[in-house]
Amino acid sequence: MNLNNAILTCFTSLFLSHASLTPVDYAKTHSETAASHTLVDSLEKDKRAIAEMLKSKTPITWLFTGNSITQGAKHTHGMRIYSEIFFERVRYEMGRSRDLIVNTAVSGNTTKNILDDFDWRVAHSKPQVVFLMIGTNDAASDKSISVEQYGKNLENLIRKIRAIGAIPVVLSPTPILESHAPERANLKAYVAKMVALVKKEQVIFVNQWKIWNGELKEKYKEQWSRKLLNDPLHPNGQGHKEMAISLFKTLSIFDPKQPTCGGEYYEGYH
């Protein structure tokens, strides 16, 4: 086959492949491709935006919202919760003393509660970054929120966060002791829905479910629940420290030499 015939064959194949598509199919294919690129660009853009904000001297408002775990209600016995550890990492260790950290999480809350109070709980503070950890209560049988409804609520929250000009960062629920919390035994299905959704929406994601069930169970062995949980559902102080470390790694601000990241720190005589 000479060069001219080869070129003709190539163009003919290309024409036939497109000709087999209706105009609607052709437009849909290109639209989906463009949307996919836009979402991927959105994820990378969010990561770059946070990195640039951290380099800037302009103060950032970081907002955390969710349920009792993020609120830090009761189960840490006075030890710091992950948003407070983040508070020290950013404001002290990274020297960003004018940054604001807002925590609007409420014990017992679900995605519906946050949606219903979104204007006050999230939009009111005009945050640049919103950390959202929610799902453990949605999975409770008495809340009557199906996996599908949970997915829709979560999607709505992500889009509302973006609509106020903030960057969403989603954290998955942490594992629970299902045998001692049978009313939430289906939590894994809610986490799976979250994983699929953040991938679809291309959101910065801290997959604590995977981290705890993988590297942390390997680290703490059969003692993982005693070391990281205060009851079948709630992380204790050490659990919150591990949550903070996972968040730091996701945002590329982890420094193993720093106390908030687990670095050794000893000063003075005792």
Side-chain angles (χ1 to χ4, degrees):
M1 181 183 292
N2 60 35
L3 180 60
N4 289 335
N5 286 338
I7 293 174
L8 179 60
T9 300
C10 179
F11 274 106
T12 300
S13 298
L14 182 63
F15 173 78
L16 289 175
S17 66
H18 285 305
S20 64
L21 296 174
T22 68
V24 172
D25 289 336
Y26 183 83
K28 181 180 179 182
T29 299
H30 282 262
S31 175
E32 289 174 348
T33 301
S36 175
H37 285 305
T38 299
L39 287 172
V40 172
D41 290 345
S42 177
L43 175 57
E44 294 305 315
K45 181 179 177 181
D46 287 348
K47 291 179 179 178
R48 288 195 299 268
I50 291 177
E52 289 301 316
M53 283 191 285
L54 286 168
K55 291 177 184 177
S56 169
K57 293 183 179 180
T58 303
I60 304 168
T61 297
W62 311 84
L63 187 141
F64 291 76
T65 197
N67 52 39
S68 58
I69 295 175
T70 299
Q71 183 182 1
K74 183 180 179 180
H75 294 279
T76 62
H77 297 269
M79 294 179 70
R80 286 182 173 181
I81 60 176
Y82 77 98
S83 64
E84 292 171 329
I85 301 171
F86 180 88
F87 182 86
E88 182 183 352
R89 175 76 187 111
V90 171
R91 294 188 71 251
Y92 178 70
E93 293 177 351
M94 298 180 69
R96 300 189 56 83
S97 59
R98 297 186 69 230
D99 281 13
L100 297 178
I101 283 78
V102 181
N103 189 334
T104 67
V106 178
S107 179
N109 270 197
T110 66
T111 49
K112 184 179 185 303
N113 296 124
I114 301 175
L115 279 172
D116 289 345
D117 200 21
F118 186 87
D119 287 346
W120 177 254
R121 294 272 294 276
V122 182
H124 176 78
S125 298
K126 298 180 181 179
Q128 281 74 55
V129 181
V130 175
F131 299 99
L132 175 65
M133 180 183 174
I134 197 74
T136 304
N137 293 322
D138 292 74
S141 55
D142 63 346
K143 296 296 184 180
S144 299
I145 298 176
S146 68
V147 172
E148 289 306 312
Q149 186 59 54
Y150 168 71
K152 291 177 182 178
N153 290 351
L154 190 58
E155 181 177 36
N156 197 2
L157 280 169
I158 290 169
R159 294 185 176 182
K160 285 174 76 70
I161 290 168
R162 290 199 185 281
I164 62 170
I167 297 172
V169 177
V170 175
L171 300 91
S172 80
T174 47
I176 65 174
L177 294 176
E178 296 176 4
S179 59
H180 291 77
E183 77 287 351
R184 289 173 171 82
N186 198 34
L187 178 58
K188 62 175 72 70
Y190 289 75
V191 174
K193 174 61 72 173
M194 174 182 276
V195 170
L197 181 63
V198 295
K199 182 177 180 181
K200 171 177 171 285
E201 295 292 322
Q202 287 295 291
V203 177
I204 298 173
F205 181 48
V206 186
N207 194 343
Q208 298 180 124
W209 187 268
K210 181 178 180 180
I211 293 167
W212 281 48
N213 279 309
E215 62 186 77
L216 292 187
K217 284 189 177 180
E218 177 62 27
K219 177 180 178 180
Y220 293 100
K221 307 299 183 183
E222 68 277 359
Q223 291 292 310
W224 77 270
S225 60
R226 287 183 175 272
K227 295 290 187 180
L228 301 177
L229 295 177
N230 186 60
D231 71 355
L233 306 178
H234 299 86
N236 59 19
Q238 185 62 25
H240 275 268
K241 185 173 182 178
E242 293 289 3
M243 290 164 63
I245 287 173
S246 297
L247 178 56
F248 298 155
K249 289 179 177 179
T250 299
L251 297 181
S252 300
I253 60 171
F254 176 75
D255 181 351
K257 296 180 181 179
Q258 295 297 331
T260 61
C261 302
E264 292 185 8
Y265 185 75
Y266 179 80
E267 184 176 280
Y269 297 92
H270 303 278

